[in-house]
């Protein structure tokens, strides 16, 4: 029989595995990959956001949000113009930033319902697209993708808007997470200041392939 060795067998320490780098998922929509919208002069857009951010937000709004001429709401979306995009420290939230965008659009006949007032579907379309833009601004300023798909919105209708009303759509970011984000929106009559509607919008960043 073989004789067991009297020497003590020493186990070597396990070698650490190479550090695994987290896989970076492809963005659902990358604002930097969209073509410049040549119909927009970002120099005319006020606010503290850098001009490159204003351009990328407009690219995202018109290319992804509005889309091509034969899709739903195209005329309403293309008629909407941004007048301000800003990003500032968030009040009462140390270290956080808050983005605001302001857009304007005039109510035309094809936006009306049978009673001659702004149709609720038109208004909801404006909320969905416009309230998304401060999230894109904030994402570009903080290195987070702020483009997502809508999970839900809560819209309150306060007053009618007849033909010719200039709507002022003010949207502000509320929160920005890795996947979930939220914004609020108020639509007013630019001339009278009357509130037409207010809303909250929740969005999420899906995987590139649904």
């Amino acid at each position: 029989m073989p004789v067991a060795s009297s020497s003590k067998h020493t186990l070597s320490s396990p070698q650490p595995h190479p550090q695994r780098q987290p896989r970076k998922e492809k963005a659902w929509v990358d604002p930097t990959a969209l073509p410049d919208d040549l119909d927009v002069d970002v120099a005319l857009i006020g606010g503290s956001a850098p001009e490159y951010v204003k351009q990328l937000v407009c690219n995202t709004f018109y290319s992804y949000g509005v889309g091509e001429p034969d899709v739903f709401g195209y005329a309403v979306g293309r008629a909407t113009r941004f007048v301000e995009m800003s990003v500032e420290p968030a009040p009462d939230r140390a270290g956080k930033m808050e983005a605001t965008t302001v857009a304007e659009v005039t109510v035309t006949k094809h936006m009306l319902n049978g009673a001659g007032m702004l149709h609720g579907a038109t208004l909801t379309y404006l909320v969905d697209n416009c309230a998304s833009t401060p999230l894109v601004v904030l994402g570009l300023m903080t290195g987070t993708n702020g483009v997502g798909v809508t999970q839900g919105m809560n819209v309150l209708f306060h007053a009618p808007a007849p033909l010719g009303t200039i709507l002022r759509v003010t949207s502000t970011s509320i929160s920005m997470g890795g996947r979930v984000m939220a914004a609020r929106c108020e639509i007013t009559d630019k001339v009278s200041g009357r509130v037409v509607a207010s809303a909250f919008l929740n969005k999420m960043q899906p995987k590139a392939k649904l």
Side-chain angles (χ1 to χ4, degrees), residues 16-197:
H17 292 288
Q19 184 67 30
R20 179 177 293 180
Q21 297 297 323
R23 186 177 63 181
K24 189 174 181 181
E25 290 185 357
K26 182 180 179 182
W28 167 247
V29 174
D30 181 1
T32 64
L34 297 172
D36 282 350
D37 193 294
L38 302 180
D39 195 33
V40 173
D41 184 355
V42 295
L44 300 178
I45 301 175
S48 62
E51 284 201 356
Y52 82 91
V53 169
K54 295 174 182 177
Q55 183 67 65
L56 292 176
V57 173
C58 287
N59 296 348
T60 306
F61 180 85
Y62 294 111
S63 179
Y64 168 62
V66 176
E68 299 179 352
D70 57 349
V71 302
F72 175 82
Y74 177 83
V76 177
R78 290 306 312 190
T80 304
R81 291 295 170 192
F82 288 92
V83 297
E84 183 182 334
M85 293 184 189
S86 296
V87 59
E88 306 289 348
D92 304 322
R93 285 186 288 166
K96 300 293 185 179
M97 303 297 289
E98 180 179 89
T100 299
T101 64
V102 181
E104 294 180 355
V105 61
T106 301
V107 177
T108 54
K109 188 173 181 179
H110 70 278
M111 301 181 190
L112 304 179
N113 60 22
M117 298 296 170
L118 178 68
H119 199 295
T122 305
L123 193 145
T124 304
Y125 171 84
L126 288 170
V127 168
D128 190 20
N129 279 336
C130 292
S132 300
T133 56
L135 301 172
V136 182
V137 172
L138 192 59
L140 289 167
M141 295 297 295
T142 60
T144 302
N145 192 303
V147 185
V149 294
T150 299
Q151 286 182 299
M153 68 177 81
N154 184 6
V155 183
L156 297 177
F157 302 96
H158 302 291
L163 181 69
T165 302
I166 302 174
L167 300 174
R168 187 173 176 87
V169 187
T170 303
S171 306
T172 305
S173 62
I174 297 175
S175 63
M176 172 74 75
R179 294 290 296 273
V180 180
M181 52 202 115
R184 61 182 179 270
C185 178
E186 186 174 82
I187 300 180
T188 60
D189 181 329
K190 181 182 177 180
V191 176
S192 69
R194 180 174 59 177
V195 178
V196 175

Side-chain angles (χ1 to χ4, degrees), residues 5-24:
S5 172
S6 61
S7 63
K8 186 177 181 181
H9 181 67
T10 303
L11 295 175
S12 59
S13 300
Q15 297 298 311
H17 292 288
Q19 184 67 30
R20 179 177 293 180
Q21 297 297 323
R23 186 177 63 181
K24 189 174 181 181

